[in-house]
Amino acid sequence: MSEKFAAVVIGVGSEAGLGATLAKYFAQKGLHVFVAGRSGDKLQLIVEKITQQGSTATAVVTDATVEQDVEQLFAVVEKAGYPLDLAVYNAGNNIPAPLLETDSETFINLWQQNCFGGFLFGKQAIATMKKRQQGTLIFTGATASLRGKPPFTAFGVAKAGLRTLAQGMAREFGSQGIHVAHVIIDGVIDGEKSRTKFPNFVSQKGEEGLLQLEAIAETYWAIHQQHSSAWTHELDLRPFKESF
């Protein structure tokens, strides 16, 4: 029997979200998936869904901005004995606010969730992958990764920092067999968050104007499958109707 490998996805929330979709997709591809996020109930639901599909997964309650939590997450992975093959940092949040209405706490929280957590997660993932000199680390970016635009300036600062972090990691560890990629989600994802928070916008865009969860997951998997002679570091995804 061939050896089973592991994937870690942090930022897993509702079932109709990107983190959960990635976790289920990777499980279908034969990986044991460690699903991580702050809500134990939501994580357990995803584990149950994966189990029902005939695959395997483990829930690990983790706050991406707390170093001890992230260290414990990867300790659980290593203790389970599955070699780590794929890790995705999908955690983050966005709070729109004009600059003069952005208080220090909001600015710091956005940076912690969207950038600092990526540092903590990426550091642990790479340290684990270095033992085999093999693995893929993917960071989920956004339109704001490339440009700052009000009322999302603070969010843009954090996402731009995450992008730079991914670039530095790719350059430092690519030659050591670790594939680091940054995926820019340049549009609105058709998930529970968008349909709950701005249903009118979703309705206006229509299904063809939204990024579909399964399609994004397929792209993440394609990155993971790339031959080392032709690695992608960064790519952007958007609906064909989206202007850019």
Side-chain angles (χ1 to χ4, degrees), residues 59-144:
V60 186
V61 176
T62 310
D63 185 332
T65 68
V66 177
E67 188 165 12
Q68 293 84 351
D69 277 18
V70 179
E71 289 176 349
Q72 177 61 25
L73 167 62
F74 284 90
V76 170
V77 175
E78 294 211 57
K79 185 176 181 180
Y82 301 106
L84 179 60
D85 207 38
L86 175 59
V88 177
Y89 187 79
N90 186 63
N93 193 19
N94 185 7
I95 302 173
L99 186 66
L100 296 182
E101 297 176 18
T102 302
D103 57 33
S104 299
E105 182 179 0
T106 297
F107 187 93
I108 292 170
N109 285 341
L110 285 171
W111 174 77
Q112 288 178 325
Q113 294 170 26
N114 292 285
C115 186
F116 179 61
F119 161 72
L120 296 177
F121 182 85
K123 183 179 177 182
Q124 290 296 321
I126 286 177
T128 303
M129 291 174 179
K130 271 175 62 71
K131 298 171 184 178
R132 296 172 53 236
Q133 292 191 310
Q134 184 178 339
T136 304
L137 171 61
I138 302 177
F139 294 95
T140 298
T143 305

Side-chain angles (χ1 to χ4, degrees), residues 16 20 22 32 35 42 83 107 109 127 144 155 157 164 228-229 234 241:
L22 292 171
H32 181 93
V35 294
K42 291 181 179 179
F107 187 93
N109 285 341
F155 178 66
V157 169
T164 300
S228 58
S229 68
E234 183 171 80
K241 289 187 175 183

